[in-house]
């Protein structure tokens, strides 16, 4: 697996079909014709989840790594980070 750097990410070019590059521990970037999106992919209680972290370059590599690490720790503590992420989004829209 490729260790992500800003140069590596900025050099990723769109292809005919969207594709995804993984760094490890579920941290990945998906490239399509119009954008590059950060994701955290993980399994919790036997089910696969994918959390959208943000869009590059609006969310930098370091910000995406920080958010990935935060969600990874939540999963390691035995909580589903997808639920945590959804609850945080819902709380933000209520305010």
């Amino acid at each position: 697996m490729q260790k992500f750097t800003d140069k590596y990410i900025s050099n990723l070019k769109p292809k005919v079909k969207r594709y995804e590059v993984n760094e490890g521990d579920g941290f990945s970037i998906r490239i399509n014709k119009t954008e590059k999106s950060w994701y955290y992919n993980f399994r919790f209680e036997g089910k696969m989840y994918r959390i959208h972290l943000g869009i590059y370059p609006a969310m930098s590599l370091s910000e995406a790594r920080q958010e990935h690490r935060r969600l990874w720790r939540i999963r390691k503590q035995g909580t589903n980070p997808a639920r945590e992420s959804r609850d945080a989004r819902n709380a933000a829209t209520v305010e």
Side-chain angles (χ1 to χ4, degrees), residues 47-79:
K47 184 176 176 188
M48 284 299 300
Y49 292 88
R50 171 188 303 266
I51 298 176
H52 181 256
L53 303 177
I55 297 173
Y56 178 84
M59 177 180 262
S60 70
L61 172 57
S62 62
E63 291 168 330
R65 264 205 189 108
Q66 185 177 13
E67 181 63 7
H68 164 262
R69 189 51 67 192
R70 184 183 76 78
L71 294 170
W72 183 85
R73 283 190 201 104
I74 290 169
R75 185 177 63 86
K76 286 299 180 186
Q77 293 172 353
T79 303

Side-chain angles (χ1 to χ4, degrees), residues 13-59:
K13 302 299 178 206
K15 297 181 181 179
V16 174
K17 290 189 172 191
R18 75 175 181 213
Y19 65 101
E20 194 163 335
V21 181
N22 298 295
E23 184 182 66
D25 286 332
F27 184 48
S28 66
I29 189 163
R30 181 185 279 183
I31 297 88
N32 65 35
K33 290 181 182 181
T34 60
E35 67 186 19
K36 299 174 185 179
S37 297
W38 300 111
Y39 285 94
Y40 174 38
N41 305 299
F42 64 97
R43 185 177 298 276
F44 188 82
E45 295 180 346
K47 184 176 176 188
M48 284 299 300
Y49 292 88
R50 171 188 303 266
I51 298 176
H52 181 256
L53 303 177
I55 297 173
Y56 178 84
M59 177 180 262

